[in-house]
Amino acid sequence: MTATIALVDDDRNILTSVSIALQAEGFLTRVYSDGETALKALLENPADLAVFDIKMPRMDGLELLRRLREKSALPVIFLTSKDDELDEALGLAMGADDYIAKPFSQRLLIARIRAILRRTDAARSSDEGAEEGQPQPIERGRLAMDPARHRVTWGGEPVTLTVTEFMILETLAQRPGIVKTRNQLMDAAYQDDIYVDDRTIDSHIKRVRRKFRAVDPEFDAIETLYGAGYRFSED
């Protein structure tokens, strides 16, 4: 099935050029020039993935994402200004799956879109039971992960993770006690040959910890090994 990509940006030139590029790659596109219109449309008729600019009038991308996340887990990529590190961190903390700094390569954006859609498709499964070839559930101490259904619990309490967060945690939990470098986590979460810097992985880890600590304030199962990477401890 052809994926539908929603583009939200107050810059008409970006909307037009990105829409044309995506359509040339076989995607369907919907374009919105402000956040309020986009929010109403996406809740009534969801897309498969959305690309939000952060700085927009009426409703900026951060507020759009916050309100969308109240009712939807739609994968979202943020477009940010090159120096807006705070906005990037806030966007990731609020549940964006990725961000790309302007000016950006359309080839890079398309690669990121394809990567997230593949991970989203891999995470979807019916509730009829595990099928042959599907990844098996993981249990590590209080952590339980079901990759086939994209479900995570901690001590029986559900924890909602984005696809990218899930992939990173799954990589750590598969081999508890083993240190995973940032490069290894990048490879797990971003399987295309695209550049993602260390700050992106660190932001995802911080967000995962924050979500688990909302369930259990004493959560400390993801350990930082400074200069080495991260590891999962089930003790």
Side-chain angles (χ1 to χ4, degrees):
M1 183 179 295
T2 303
T4 298
I5 311 301
L7 306 173
V8 189
D9 199 310
D10 62 327
D11 187 326
R12 289 286 184 179
N13 291 329
I14 289 179
L15 287 178
T16 299
S17 62
V18 174
S19 182
I20 291 173
L22 288 173
Q23 291 172 16
E25 294 292 322
F27 294 104
L28 299 176
T29 60
R30 301 182 201 149
V31 298
Y32 307 98
S33 58
D34 69 85
E36 289 184 356
T37 302
L39 178 63
K40 184 175 185 295
L42 289 172
L43 290 177
E44 291 178 351
N45 186 18
D48 295 292
L49 182 145
V51 180
F52 295 168
D53 185 29
I54 285 188
K55 297 189 181 302
M56 295 184 293
R58 297 179 63 184
M59 181 188 296
D60 66 20
L62 294 172
E63 177 64 12
L64 173 58
L65 178 64
R66 185 190 69 78
R67 295 179 62 178
L68 183 69
R69 280 289 173 263
E70 293 175 354
K71 299 181 179 179
S72 171
L74 173 72
V76 171
I77 297 175
F78 265 133
L79 300 180
T80 74
S81 299
K82 187 174 182 180
D83 297 326
D84 287 342
E85 296 182 12
L86 179 58
D87 285 347
E88 292 168 3
L90 282 173
L92 290 173
M94 292 167 62
D97 291 86
D98 211 336
Y99 68 85
I100 296 179
K102 294 181 179 180
F104 60 91
S105 158
Q106 290 183 356
R107 177 174 171 272
L108 173 62
L109 175 60
I110 291 169
R112 297 275 182 97
I113 288 172
R114 290 193 186 282
I116 291 174
L117 288 176
R118 279 200 299 274
R119 294 197 300 274
T120 303
D121 289 342
R124 289 179 182 143
S125 174
S126 69
D127 290 333
E128 296 177 357
E131 299 177 0
E132 184 178 354
Q134 288 186 338
Q136 296 303 302
I138 298 171
E139 292 189 6
R140 301 286 186 262
R142 302 182 68 190
L143 174 71
M145 302 184 73
D146 186 346
R149 295 175 177 80
H150 193 74
R151 293 176 181 168
V152 182
T153 61
W154 179 259
E157 295 293 325
V159 180
T160 301
L161 301 180
T162 66
V163 174
T164 303
E165 294 166 355
F166 192 99
M167 296 288 283
I168 291 173
L169 179 60
E170 182 183 16
T171 301
L172 292 170
Q174 283 173 338
R175 300 188 66 190
I178 302 299
V179 177
K180 294 290 185 178
T181 67
R182 288 174 175 82
N183 285 337
Q184 289 173 319
L185 295 177
M186 289 177 199
D187 289 342
Y190 298 89
Q191 297 173 359
D192 291 89
D193 185 19
I194 55 178
Y195 173 75
V196 182
D197 63 25
D198 289 357
R199 185 177 60 203
T200 303
I201 296 299
D202 291 343
S203 295
H204 283 308
I205 292 289
K206 289 177 182 177
R207 190 173 72 199
V208 170
R209 285 172 171 158
R210 186 179 300 116
K211 289 183 175 182
F212 275 89
R213 285 171 182 163
V215 172
D216 176 7
E218 302 301 319
F219 174 83
D220 61 357
I222 299 177
E223 301 178 353
T224 302
L225 284 301
Y226 293 98
Y230 298 95
R231 70 182 173 197
F232 183 86
S233 172
E234 58 181 325
D235 294 335

